[in-house]
Amino acid sequence: MSSMLFSDYSSSTTARFLPFSRSRLRVDGAVFCRRLLGPLHVRPPISVSLRTTLTVHSSSSSSPVISATMGTGTSAKIIDGKAVAKIIRDEITAEVSRMKDAIGIVPGLAVILVGDRKDSATYVRNKKKACESVGINSFEVRLPEDSSEQEVLNFISGFNEDPSVHGILVQLPLPSHMDEQSILNAVSIEKDVDGFHPLNIGRLAMRGREPLFVPCTPKGCIELLHRSGIVIKGKRAVVIGRSNIVGMPAALLLQREDASISIVHSRTKNPEDITRQADIIISAVGQPNMVRENWIKPGAVIIDVGINPVQDEKCPRGYRLVGDVCYEEACKVASAVTPVPGGVGPMTIAMLLSNTLSSAKRLHNFQ
Ligand code: NAP
């Protein structure tokens, strides 16, 4: 029987991983570890001394951003993505309300869902709820599986013209008879809140150019680093994974922040030799517990994007979620690490809301 995994991350493309059947759950051999565009407002950080090559700052030891160490024998600070995302959502709520009071405009996000995949429907519902929670209007179009590409294009074109819509998101995956590329390309670059339009990615890659939107998950990773007071400039960073939606834009963003970047992918030989040199690792692979203690330089900061279900009969659902990084081992050697779940996941949807707000501000010239 197929199990549904309803995670809290929201990048439209991640839906393609789900639902998964129990038989596809990953069992990780003998080791079963338990497991932008600038910040909206960065709190003045107070330095916390760590045995690290990096300086990690936190406003207090009970900061919602970086919480205390795990337990005996571990040293890493836990970067609490859920708490950071909550702070960002509160900031967005305040900005939405300020904009409404000042110019009578409420930001609007349109989501197009084609077909009846339950996981996609859940993601769309979550986005709608997230919009409601911060006061952003949401518009939803649901089309049957056998709709034509032209019908989808017609809706996109309508939303492109609609002044009450500031962000357009096409929930992926699309049915196989549709050309994903031509549909995504039809979204106006000015409303491309997912940041997947080639023009936005191209601008991200070019010096002196500014993308209108940055893809939500990598933007969330950088925001987590900023809000945790972690210095990126001049550091060595390794991104594991080079997908269009996470790895590649994450590497571009780190480079824009003046880090020196290496990218590790499935053809990289001896990846641990490369990751061991990194002050900052962002991992977006989809392989449970792949990054082990000996992959990590003492004191490195680890941002784990991976969300991987692994079989665990002790859990009510028969599985639990782990990252790409062996969490317990990372906690022993890293200076700061994001948990899975509760790390990058909650940031993705917060960044979608942030992108929608920025779009509305830009389109209405509201500072
Ligand atoms: P993807 O499109 O499948 O890309 C995976 C990347 O990892 C590819 O570049 C691949 O290399 C590389 N890779 C695969 N096996 C590897 C190995 N053994 N060693 C080194 N590199 C390897 O996946 P994605 O969309 O980027 O997602 C990655 C993970 O992040 C998944 O677990 C996904 O669920 C999660 N995710 C989380 C969020 C969130 O909000 N937290 C959002 C999106 C995705 P090649 O290019 O050589 O094939």
Side-chain angles (χ1 to χ4, degrees):
M1 198 176 85
S2 169
S3 305
M4 288 293 178
L5 170 62
F6 297 143
S7 176
D8 54 0
Y9 63 81
S10 78
S11 175
S12 55
T13 45
T14 51
R16 71 183 184 275
F17 298 103
L18 312 167
F20 59 86
S21 67
R22 288 276 167 88
S23 61
R24 286 177 54 210
L25 291 174
R26 307 294 299 265
V27 184
D28 189 23
V31 184
F32 223 39
C33 298
R34 243 180 301 134
R35 285 247 321 48
L36 246 146
L37 305 175
L40 297 168
H41 299 291
V42 181
R43 293 173 169 192
I46 298 167
S47 181
V48 172
S49 176
L50 297 169
R51 59 171 186 83
T52 170
T53 52
L54 291 177
T55 308
V56 177
H57 303 276
S58 166
S59 52
S60 78
S61 59
S62 60
S63 160
V65 176
I66 293 192
S67 60
T69 55
M70 284 184 70
T72 321
T74 64
S75 66
K77 299 285 172 183
I78 311 306
I79 300 175
D80 185 345
K82 213 169 158 188
V84 179
K86 163 85 171 68
I87 293 168
I88 292 171
R89 282 182 189 221
D90 289 348
E91 289 169 0
I92 292 170
T93 306
E95 278 299 279
V96 168
S97 154
R98 188 173 71 86
M99 189 172 174
K100 187 177 175 188
D101 291 347
I103 59 169
I105 298 289
V106 176
L109 174 69
V111 181
I112 299 174
L113 172 64
V114 189
D116 34 280
R117 284 177 62 119
K118 285 195 181 144
D119 56 338
S120 293
T122 302
Y123 292 133
V124 169
R125 202 165 46 242
N126 287 346
K127 285 166 192 165
K128 198 173 171 183
K129 269 197 214 153
C131 285
E132 275 165 16
S133 75
V134 298
I136 288 178
N137 286 334
S138 63
F139 308 91
E140 190 185 321
V141 169
R142 284 177 183 245
L143 294 170
E145 180 86 17
D146 59 357
S147 307
S148 69
E149 198 172 304
Q150 192 53 51
E151 282 173 277
V152 180
L153 291 172
N154 289 346
F155 276 104
I156 291 176
S157 157
F159 286 137
N160 281 343
E161 300 302 319
D162 185 341
S164 62
V165 170
H166 307 97
I168 303 170
L169 193 148
V170 180
Q171 184 67 43
L172 300 178
L174 287 162
S176 53
H177 65 277
M178 293 188 183
D179 178 4
E180 189 175 296
Q181 227 182 90
S182 64
I183 286 180
L184 292 183
N185 286 354
V187 174
S188 155
I189 183 178
E190 291 179 331
K191 298 188 179 184
D192 172 40
V193 283
D194 248 347
F196 296 155
H197 195 290
L199 274 176
N200 273 323
I201 296 287
R203 289 182 184 180
L204 187 64
M206 293 170 80
R207 280 184 81 86
R209 304 289 175 92
E210 289 302 323
L212 295 180
F213 301 98
V214 172
C216 299
T217 301
K219 182 177 176 181
C221 296
I222 301 297
E223 191 72 25
L224 273 182
L225 292 170
H226 281 160
R227 295 209 180 216
S228 307
I230 291 161
V231 178
I232 304 175
K233 189 173 183 164
K235 302 297 176 194
R236 298 189 81 152
V238 171
V239 179
I240 317 179
R242 55 177 170 181
S243 70
N244 286 342
I245 62 162
V246 193
M248 180 266 291
L252 294 174
L253 279 171
L254 285 166
Q255 183 163 262
R256 286 175 85 95
E257 299 272 337
D258 292 327
S260 299
I261 314 298
S262 301
I263 297 173
V264 164
H265 48 75
S266 66
R267 311 288 155 80
T268 304
K269 294 204 169 73
N270 305 322
E272 62 276 19
D273 291 347
I274 298 168
T275 58
R276 250 197 319 265
Q277 296 176 34
D279 300 311
I280 298 169
I281 295 176
I282 295 183
S283 183
V285 176
Q287 299 279 345
N289 301 321
M290 184 183 86
V291 177
R292 307 294 304 275
E293 187 174 352
N294 65 335
W295 289 46
I296 302 168
K297 171 168 136 180
V301 172
I302 315 284
I303 304 291
D304 190 353
V305 181
I307 298 182
N308 309 297
V310 294
Q311 193 173 345
D312 187 346
E313 296 308 332
K314 279 182 266 157
C315 295
R317 286 180 295 188
Y319 68 87
R320 63 196 161 79
L321 299 178
V322 301
D324 295 339
V325 178
C326 185
Y327 185 68
E328 285 185 341
E329 291 185 7
C331 283
K332 286 186 209 156
V333 63
S335 64
V337 58
T338 56
V340 175
V344 176
M347 291 297 287
T348 299
I349 200 148
M351 293 300 101
L352 175 67
L353 301 173
S354 162
N355 279 355
T356 305
L357 172 63
S358 315
S359 177
K361 283 182 168 181
R362 184 166 39 235
L363 288 165
H364 295 280
N365 203 16
F366 180 73
Q367 304 300 321

